Amino acid sequence: MHRGGFLIIFLVITGLTLLLDWYVYNGLRTLTKGWSSLRWKQVLLWGYLVLSIGVTVLFLIGLGSFSTARGMTPYHEWILSFFLTFFITKIIFSLVLLIGDTGRLLYGVGDNIINHGKKENIPYFPSRRKFISEIAVLVAAVPFISLLYGMFKGKYDYKLHRETLYFDDLPEAFDGFTITQISDIHSGSFDNSAAVQRGIDMAKAQKSDLFVFTGDLVNNAAWEIEPYIGHFKQLKAPFGQFSILGNHDYGDYIQWNSPEEKAANLEELKGQHTKLDYRLMLDENVELEKNGQKINLIGVQNWGRGFIQIGDLDKALKGVDKDAFKILLSHDPTHWEEKVRYHETKIHLTLAGHTHGAQFGVETAGLRWSPVQYRYLDWAGLAEQNGRKLYVNRGFGFLAFSGRVGIWPEITVITLKKNKVTA
């Protein structure tokens, strides 16, 4: 991060958070009016200031960690997460106060207009009512509690998603073939190996025919996966374990001492896939055979809109029969949106990840929303166009915000089925 840019960000964040702290502090003063205990009033007011300003200071100190050689550590992610939790809570609290303050201003102006000359010293800004601060506390408690839950529980609350996908031209031998997919491990963010193991145990229990990993093994550096190789190496399947690279695996988001050091990191990371017993696919394909019939598994390097674009689909398809049944591993769903679904060669199923579902959102029977939908057309789950299917995994790990709220970490199990021809 350039020095001038860092200073601007520093000043903006400092100014905005201090302004919010001042506004919230005044709202809390209104809330504590009439409290019989002066001690508890001071505990609330001073406790709030110490916690809020303290978290902001710690966050600002670590603001430059993205550009360091190590990148963002779990410690920095925790500080960022607490900062975001306080920041969002303060915004919600302030918005409720602002609505109340706007109402009392309008009331004061209206009272002056209506009663001009009838009353003396009519205030344009009547005193804030205590119940407005009480409502603000109640409303702001919802995101505060939700974000804390996401940090302490949600980020390891693994969910199993099952999809049964039907195809007309699936070879008979692969009818009922199962695939377990995980994506976006981001091992550099983990802070609880026992919780990670629970997710791995869930994936192992599926006993699928094939295991695939669709990119972002690390946040930046190859060494991040080292403590977890023994964990993820447990994932085995009769037809093998296959993997690809994601945008974070190339080390583009931290500073390296030299281009050679960065290149060496990438080579080391490729070696980590070997240690995991994963076959890393770099713009290539492999045939999977069962009972004399075959399907093709294809893996490309990262290609994403707004991210590194070095994946070569045409190279990966070399030697593949045009009429063969094909499954593609491609980290970023925008590759499917812009290239795969329009390609002259039909690829039946693409498995992707990348979006994390923003690690925040709502997924219920009647509502499906995440802020990531304003960036990605296909951000989680199944999409289809012209008989070409895409499945986007919500991610196994987490990044930056050390938590998940509403969009939980995912293990996907896909069952391939052949459409039966009826007379």
Side-chain angles (χ1 to χ4, degrees):
M1 185 181 295
H2 295 296
R3 196 170 186 178
F6 177 84
L7 180 60
I8 292 173
I9 294 174
F10 181 92
L11 292 174
V12 169
I13 292 175
T14 301
L16 184 56
T17 53
L18 289 177
L19 180 62
L20 287 171
D21 282 330
W22 169 81
Y23 199 40
V24 172
Y25 176 80
N26 279 280
L28 293 176
R29 284 183 62 190
T30 302
L31 179 71
T32 58
K33 278 183 180 179
W35 282 20
S36 57
S37 174
L38 178 61
R39 175 182 294 179
W40 284 111
K41 180 177 181 178
Q42 291 177 333
V43 167
L44 176 64
L45 295 177
W46 284 103
Y48 165 76
L49 287 177
V50 169
L51 279 175
S52 184
I53 295 176
V55 167
T56 300
V57 170
L58 288 173
F59 169 70
L60 291 171
I61 290 172
L63 193 60
S65 63
F66 265 130
S67 61
T68 65
R70 289 180 62 87
M72 216 176 201
T73 66
Y75 166 78
H76 290 114
E77 290 188 329
W78 272 102
I79 294 300
L80 170 62
S81 301
F82 278 118
F83 173 78
L84 289 174
T85 298
F86 274 88
F87 190 74
I88 292 170
T89 302
K90 286 186 285 190
I91 287 177
I92 300 300
F93 188 96
S94 298
L95 285 174
V96 176
L97 282 188
L98 184 62
I99 292 171
D101 289 346
T102 302
R104 63 191 177 104
L105 175 62
L106 293 175
Y107 176 83
V109 171
D111 196 20
N112 270 274
I113 294 173
I114 293 171
N115 295 298
H116 182 68
K118 301 177 183 178
K119 297 181 181 179
E120 294 183 359
N121 301 320
I122 302 174
Y124 279 93
F125 210 47
S127 298
R128 180 184 288 136
R129 295 184 178 181
K130 185 177 180 179
F131 83 91
I132 296 295
S133 292
E134 292 173 338
I135 293 173
V137 168
L138 290 174
V139 173
V142 175
F144 184 74
I145 294 171
S146 298
L147 290 167
L148 287 181
Y149 175 85
M151 292 164 60
F152 287 96
K153 173 70 174 175
K155 65 186 178 185
Y156 294 120
D157 190 10
Y158 299 101
K159 304 298 182 185
L160 188 65
H161 290 254
R162 295 185 181 276
E163 291 284 349
T164 300
L165 306 180
Y166 290 86
F167 301 90
D168 293 331
D169 49 354
L170 178 71
E172 288 282 356
F174 288 87
D175 187 26
F177 190 83
T178 55
I179 305 168
T180 289
Q181 177 200 10
I182 65 173
S183 191
D184 299 87
I185 289 174
H186 287 288
S187 52
S189 297
F190 290 146
D191 53 18
N192 188 333
S193 60
V196 171
Q197 185 62 50
R198 290 198 299 270
I200 292 170
D201 290 341
M202 184 182 293
K204 286 166 56 180
Q206 307 314 308
K207 300 185 183 301
S208 293
D209 297 305
L210 177 70
F211 170 77
V212 298
F213 169 64
T214 47
D216 279 359
L217 187 65
V218 298
N219 294 342
N220 298 288
W223 58 263
E224 294 170 10
I225 189 61
E226 287 286 350
Y228 299 96
I229 286 178
H231 295 73
F232 288 96
K233 191 174 182 177
Q234 299 170 34
L235 295 169
K236 306 289 186 184
F239 284 79
Q241 304 83 236
F242 295 86
S243 60
I244 57 171
L245 298 176
N247 57 298
H248 277 267
D249 295 321
Y250 297 89
D252 287 341
Y253 306 114
I254 59 174
Q255 291 181 352
W256 300 94
N257 293 321
S258 67
E260 291 76 19
E261 183 185 30
K262 181 181 178 183
N265 177 75
L266 180 57
E267 291 306 309
E268 183 182 354
L269 181 72
K270 293 176 182 178
Q272 305 289 34
H273 285 255
T274 301
K275 291 181 182 179
L276 290 165
D277 291 334
Y278 298 172
R279 174 171 172 179
L280 179 61
M281 304 186 75
L282 303 168
D283 301 328
E284 56 190 297
N285 65 81
V286 63
E287 286 184 336
L288 303 180
E289 184 175 347
K290 184 179 182 183
N291 298 336
Q293 296 183 319
K294 299 176 181 178
I295 63 175
N296 283 90
L297 183 66
I298 303 154
V300 294
Q301 298 190 72
N302 195 80
W303 194 104
R305 184 172 61 233
F307 292 90
I308 185 172
Q309 297 182 351
I310 60 174
D312 189 334
L313 182 58
D314 291 327
K315 178 182 176 183
L317 284 168
K318 282 185 179 178
V320 177
D321 188 324
K322 189 174 182 179
D323 297 324
F325 186 90
K326 307 171 197 68
I327 300 173
L328 172 67
L329 309 181
S330 181
H331 179 68
D332 193 317
T334 60
H335 188 214
W336 185 82
E337 293 170 6
E338 297 195 9
K339 299 287 185 179
V340 178
R341 62 177 171 171
Y342 302 120
H343 199 275
E344 61 181 1
T345 298
K346 179 181 179 180
I347 295 175
H348 299 73
L349 173 62
T350 300
L351 302 178
H354 180 62
T355 72
H356 302 202
Q359 299 170 207
F360 178 85
V362 178
E363 287 191 283
T364 66
L367 176 63
R368 188 170 183 266
W369 175 88
S370 168
V372 80
Q373 71 188 49
Y374 306 114
R375 172 67 172 83
Y376 293 97
L377 176 64
D378 304 297
W379 54 272
L382 189 65
E384 182 175 3
Q385 182 173 328
N386 299 326
R388 305 180 185 205
K389 295 179 173 64
L390 166 72
Y391 190 87
V392 183
N393 181 286
R394 294 161 180 82
F396 187 92
F398 48 91
L399 179 68
F401 174 58
S402 188
R404 283 178 175 265
V405 180
I407 308 294
W408 314 115
E410 175 177 358
I411 296 158
T412 311
V413 177
I414 292 174
T415 302
L416 305 180
K417 295 292 289 183
K418 183 174 178 65
N419 275 326
K420 304 300 182 182
V421 179
T422 56

